[in-house]
Amino acid sequence: MSELYMMVTIVDRRFIRKFNSFYEEMELPVSITTLGVGTASSQVLDYFGLGGSERGVMLHFVTKSKWKKVKRQLQLQMKIDLPGVGIAFIIPMSSVGGRRVLEFLTIGQEVAKGEETSLKGTKYELLVAIANQGYMEQVMDAARKVHAAGGTVIHAKGTGGAHAEKFLGVSLVPEKEMVFIVAKTEHKKAIMESIMKEAGIQTDAKTIVFSLPVTDTAGMRLLDEFEDME
């Protein structure tokens, strides 16, 4: 997955619809949108021209070549470099749970084949599971069967339901729940496979799961101790 990235866009909440329309025009119909609150000081907000702290957070999935095109238009068309608009950045992905899910997330993009992980030697990985609302316990039960200690759940809204029928053979509801699970790299594959088996797209949960490499951590000693007790 050396050529695939998760693109994160953080904008003033007023601009969510505008940016969603822009990404549709850029042929990125699959996205996850959630709401957040900024924590910057008033001095920093004033400096960047941000009048409030309410944010929209959008997640998309792009290849390196796609990112270059999107970045250019973010600057030219959306004026993202101007104070008060927002920021966008990419994070390398290390794996996706299933070929059909990969095709769904990267509609119309050519994904270069490569090694599974673009950053070698990482001790931990961040697993991100996105499921229909109300099924997160089913996802976590599957994850706990294979070394997952716990996760953090975020409520979100998804797009791209019309494309899911083509690539996944299922219909998706827009209301989503995301869970972030930090796990040891050697346990990643087993956890993802368990989630795909117990709560995957063939179930009512309709879960998709992917992972991101974690390059450094703090506060993970308790997780190590928990796993040593198993």
Side-chain angles (χ1 to χ4, degrees):
M1 309 307 306
S2 57
E3 288 294 320
L4 187 62
Y5 300 85
M6 182 175 74
M7 180 178 68
V8 182
T9 310
I10 304 175
V11 298
D12 188 289
R13 196 175 297 188
R14 296 171 300 168
F15 301 147
I16 290 178
R17 288 187 179 180
K18 182 179 180 180
F19 271 80
N20 277 333
S21 297
F22 164 75
Y23 285 130
E24 284 278 354
E25 293 175 1
M26 293 299 299
E27 298 181 336
L28 291 173
V30 178
S31 73
I32 301 296
T33 302
T34 187
L35 302 177
V37 178
T39 60
S41 66
S42 58
Q43 182 179 5
V44 173
L45 292 175
D46 291 341
Y47 179 82
F48 284 102
L50 299 174
S53 61
E54 295 183 333
R55 301 283 177 265
V57 181
M58 289 163 278
L59 308 180
H60 294 81
F61 307 90
V62 297
T63 60
K64 192 172 185 178
S65 60
K66 187 71 171 182
W67 162 247
K68 290 181 179 179
K69 296 176 183 178
V70 172
K71 179 182 177 181
R72 181 66 173 161
Q73 292 307 312
L74 281 170
Q75 295 168 329
L76 293 177
Q77 186 175 335
M78 303 303 289
K79 311 297 183 184
I80 198 168
D81 290 330
L82 294 179
V85 179
I87 61 172
F89 55 91
I90 58 175
I91 303 169
M93 297 178 65
S94 56
S95 57
V96 175
R99 182 68 190 178
R100 283 195 298 166
V101 171
L102 175 62
E103 292 173 350
F104 170 62
L105 295 178
T106 60
I107 293 172
Q109 301 180 60
E110 292 292 332
V111 181
K113 293 183 179 180
E115 296 178 345
E116 186 176 74
T117 254
S118 55
L119 297 176
K120 294 298 184 181
T122 57
K123 184 178 180 181
Y124 296 97
E125 297 232 4
L126 173 65
L127 276 62
V128 182
I130 304 172
N132 286 342
Q133 189 172 1
Y135 290 91
M136 200 46 64
E137 277 303 314
Q138 183 177 338
V139 174
M140 286 308 306
D141 286 345
R144 291 189 189 102
K145 290 181 180 180
V146 279
H147 304 291
T152 300
V153 178
I154 297 174
H155 298 283
K157 188 178 183 67
T159 65
H163 300 274
E165 296 273 358
K166 176 181 177 181
F167 289 92
L168 304 178
V170 298
S171 59
L172 299 178
V173 298
E175 291 76 19
K176 300 294 179 188
E177 287 178 323
M178 301 173 58
V179 61
F180 294 156
I181 304 170
V182 178
K184 286 188 175 180
T185 300
E186 62 261 33
H187 297 154
K188 176 192 71 174
K189 183 177 180 180
I191 294 173
M192 292 180 68
E193 287 179 347
S194 181
I195 292 174
M196 291 161 59
K197 178 181 178 182
E198 303 290 337
I201 57 175
Q202 78 285 355
T203 71
D204 291 338
K206 301 292 187 291
T207 307
I208 62 175
V209 60
F210 56 89
S211 66
L212 308 170
V214 174
T215 57
D216 201 4
T217 65
M220 300 300 293
R221 180 176 59 84
L222 292 179
L223 177 59
D224 291 338
E225 293 178 355
F226 172 80
E227 292 189 350
D228 290 340
M229 292 171 57
E230 292 185 315

